[in-house]
Amino acid sequence: MRALIDDILDMSKIEAGTVENEVVPFDLQELVGNSRMLFSDLADEKGLGFTLDATLAEVEAVEGDPTRIRQVLWNLLSNAIKFTPNGSVALTMEWLGPDSRAEADGEPRMLRIQVKDSGIGIGPESLETLFDPFVQADVSTTRKFGGTGLGLSIVKNLLDLMGGEIEVTSEVGRGSTFTVHLPLPRIAEDRLPSGGETRDTVRWRTTRPLRILLAEDQPLNALVATELIERHGHRVDHVADGVQAVEAATALNYDLILMDAHMPFMDGAAATEEIRASAGGGEVAIVAVTADALTSQSKKLRNAGVDAILTKPYTDSELMSVVTKFGARSESAGDGTRGRDVQTAESDEAGTGEAAVNIDWRARDEENYQAFATNRAPEVVRSLLSMARESTVDQVAKLREAIEGGDSEEIFFAAHRIKGSAGSVFASELASLVAELEAADGDRAKIAELLPRIEAAAADAIEWWAERERGLD
């Protein structure tokens, strides 16, 4: 469902003309190498052969939009693997025309990318409309293989944006070949920033893309975490409760599980215990993620077998440090860190809401927002802000309903959901007030006093998010 929502958002932005083509120096060979590692793993899971033949230099310095090129490449490879029940998938990349370095710097060269599979193929009657949204060769394909057909429409539109083209040849039962022609200027290697990598990319680099299970019942939190982790080349599978987490963890071998402490049906501690008791469950790294800083909660999680505890709200740096440290543990047979808290001076500065009257919430939120927005595409930031507004309206309404109905359990879960998401989307005052409500421990007078303040803080946050969203236009 999340992939479908993301595709719809991308498609609507492309149609509205709000997607921009970024032009920056990057290493094409590095982008291809990350794709090789990720999709060879996916092909192995299905028992498919996967080959990559790229006639590229060891460092292939080019100028273009690496995010959009990666999106095109990953869509094509993902479809090829998805629609190939058996056989193989092959990726080839080559420069067309004379290979003259004398004319390389700044001169556009034509790159040909081909993705060939031995899958189900496409009938001739469907080829003409294949790149239209929501079009597939056969509606039964959706039921059998999944997908809506939006991905290829996005690929076509992104290539149009970058001055490229795509064509397809196919035969039912024999497979398909997608061919992309994309003009890219080759540039001198010394124009690559820091050898083609940012400082954080180097600091958070692992020897291969990791496969990570994210157990998180809040869509907003899941969106933020997934976007960040996948931006660094890893794959994230998202589930919304502890039962689903156990099922996923026992079905596939993950490098890391990020386990929310409070989830419906089964909480993070119980899910961790079941995973640890399963075959192979003692090896996977599990990091609990919680907005509950109580010692009793931490002890419960440690006893269940988590390797570490990451406290919400966390920064990008804190999350990626956890991913790098614990996700790579499967490559090095453990490091003896089980049971530790993941805390930094940055997270300690966030405080617990004490002496709230002396805290300039807006200044803190503005600083955190600017740091977040600087590192992300405007469409990602806009999607997050819009989701934050809608989610908060719904969650605060449910909190009031639970309070008026005297449902203590639902009050706890509603408050926990608000606190966890508010802290992640620059609503510190709202998160602090809800933390006070949690600490009221059923004190009806205190809860009644806090509710209107929570609603006022929520209204303030919603307006603040709307202002930041307007600022992206």
Side-chain angles (χ1 to χ4, degrees):
M1 178 58 74
R2 179 183 180 276
L4 172 57
I5 292 171
D6 286 348
D7 281 350
I8 292 172
L9 289 171
D10 278 346
M11 196 67 241
S12 64
K13 286 161 192 150
I14 291 169
E15 291 174 347
T18 58
V19 173
E20 296 181 358
N21 183 31
E22 183 181 30
V23 179
V24 297
F26 70 98
D27 183 359
L28 180 63
Q29 182 67 269
E30 182 184 359
L31 185 152
V32 173
N34 287 337
S35 301
R36 180 206 304 266
M37 289 187 286
L38 175 61
F39 287 97
S40 62
D41 284 348
L42 295 179
D44 284 345
E45 290 174 9
K46 289 190 65 175
L48 303 176
F50 181 80
T51 60
L52 188 153
D53 181 12
T55 55
L56 304 175
E58 184 177 351
V59 175
E60 193 67 79
V62 297
E63 201 169 47
D65 191 331
T67 300
R68 300 305 177 196
I69 295 171
R70 184 183 298 109
Q71 194 170 4
V72 167
L73 188 59
W74 286 17
N75 259 298
L76 294 178
L77 287 172
S78 178
N79 279 345
I81 291 174
K82 181 189 300 182
F83 297 114
T84 303
N86 50 68
S88 63
V89 173
L91 167 65
T92 60
M93 300 181 73
E94 61 178 337
W95 293 102
L96 302 182
D99 187 7
S100 171
R101 283 288 174 178
E103 63 182 41
D105 194 8
E107 291 293 326
R109 301 284 306 284
M110 189 63 70
L111 179 69
R112 181 168 66 189
I113 304 170
Q114 277 195 334
V115 176
K116 184 176 182 178
D117 65 68
S118 60
I120 61 175
I122 305 163
E125 70 282 356
S126 301
L127 288 176
E128 292 185 5
T129 57
L130 187 63
F131 296 103
D132 294 342
F134 296 108
V135 172
Q136 285 188 318
D138 187 338
V139 294
S140 64
T141 303
T142 299
R143 294 191 297 271
K144 185 173 182 180
F145 295 96
T148 62
L150 266 178
L152 289 176
S153 179
I154 291 172
V155 165
K156 174 68 165 59
N157 281 276
L158 289 177
L159 286 169
D160 288 345
L161 185 69
M162 295 185 289
E165 297 177 343
I166 185 170
E167 59 186 25
V168 58
T169 59
S170 186
E171 184 178 347
V172 174
R174 299 291 296 273
S176 306
T177 300
F178 288 83
T179 303
V180 170
H181 291 93
L182 181 66
L184 282 177
R186 294 169 76 172
I187 60 175
E189 289 182 21
D190 59 12
R191 291 183 58 189
L192 291 175
S194 303
E197 297 178 301
T198 66
R199 183 183 64 181
D200 283 342
T201 301
V202 173
R203 178 158 51 114
W204 298 330
R205 183 174 56 196
T206 57
T207 58
R208 59 178 174 79
L210 302 172
R211 186 156 190 179
I212 296 167
L213 176 63
L214 172 64
E216 169 62 66
D217 66 324
Q218 282 299 298
L220 196 59
N221 293 343
L223 173 65
V224 174
T226 300
E227 186 276 333
L228 175 65
I229 295 170
E230 290 189 340
R231 186 150 46 91
H232 286 85
H234 307 299
R235 176 178 176 180
V236 177
D237 294 337
H238 171 230
V239 295
D241 62 61
V243 174
Q244 293 176 351
V246 173
E247 292 174 350
T250 52
L252 292 174
N253 294 321
Y254 287 98
D255 297 295
L256 171 66
I257 299 174
L258 296 172
M259 183 76 73
D260 188 29
H262 295 289
M263 293 182 291
F265 307 120
M266 180 185 292
D267 66 18
T272 298
E273 287 180 341
E274 290 210 17
I275 292 170
R276 290 295 185 215
S278 65
E283 298 300 321
V284 63
I286 303 178
V287 174
V289 185
T290 180
D292 188 347
L294 295 176
T295 302
S296 59
Q297 175 67 21
S298 297
K299 184 177 180 180
K300 179 181 178 182
L301 290 165
R302 288 193 190 95
N303 289 341
V306 302
D307 293 274
I309 300 171
L310 176 63
T311 303
K312 298 177 184 177
Y314 48 72
T315 64
D316 287 359
S317 178
E318 288 168 346
L319 177 58
M320 288 311 304
S321 293
V322 164
V323 168
T324 302
K325 179 177 182 178
F326 293 95
R329 200 184 71 176
S330 59
E331 302 168 9
S332 58
D335 59 6
T337 57
R338 179 165 294 179
R340 296 181 184 177
D341 287 345
V342 181
Q343 293 182 342
T344 66
E346 189 172 5
S347 63
D348 290 338
E349 288 173 2
T352 59
E354 296 177 5
V357 293
N358 297 320
I359 296 177
D360 187 347
W361 298 112
R362 274 288 157 255
R364 170 187 291 172
D365 289 337
E366 182 65 43
E367 180 181 357
N368 291 338
Y369 168 74
Q370 292 300 334
F372 178 90
T374 298
N375 295 320
R376 288 169 171 83
E379 58 265 29
V380 173
V381 180
R382 182 179 288 107
S383 177
L384 175 76
L385 294 174
S386 177
M387 185 181 292
R389 289 189 289 107
E390 295 174 5
S391 174
T392 300
V393 169
D394 179 62
Q395 290 172 353
V396 172
K398 288 180 178 177
L399 177 62
R400 169 173 280 279
E401 182 180 348
I403 291 173
E404 291 177 346
D407 187 338
S408 300
E409 184 176 1
E410 184 54 35
I411 291 172
F412 170 80
F413 281 112
H416 183 78
R417 285 191 293 265
I418 296 171
K419 185 177 72 171
S421 58
S424 300
V425 289
F426 329 111
S428 300
E429 183 177 16
L430 176 59
S432 177
L433 288 170
V434 175
E436 286 188 51
L437 187 144
E438 281 185 318
D441 195 24
D443 184 335
R444 293 194 177 187
K446 181 66 173 175
I447 291 174
E449 184 265 332
L450 283 169
L451 179 58
R453 294 170 59 194
I454 289 172
E455 290 177 326
D460 176 65
I462 289 168
E463 177 56 31
W464 190 82
W465 291 324
E467 289 176 2
R468 297 304 168 280
E469 192 173 353
R470 289 192 291 269
L472 295 170
D473 295 333

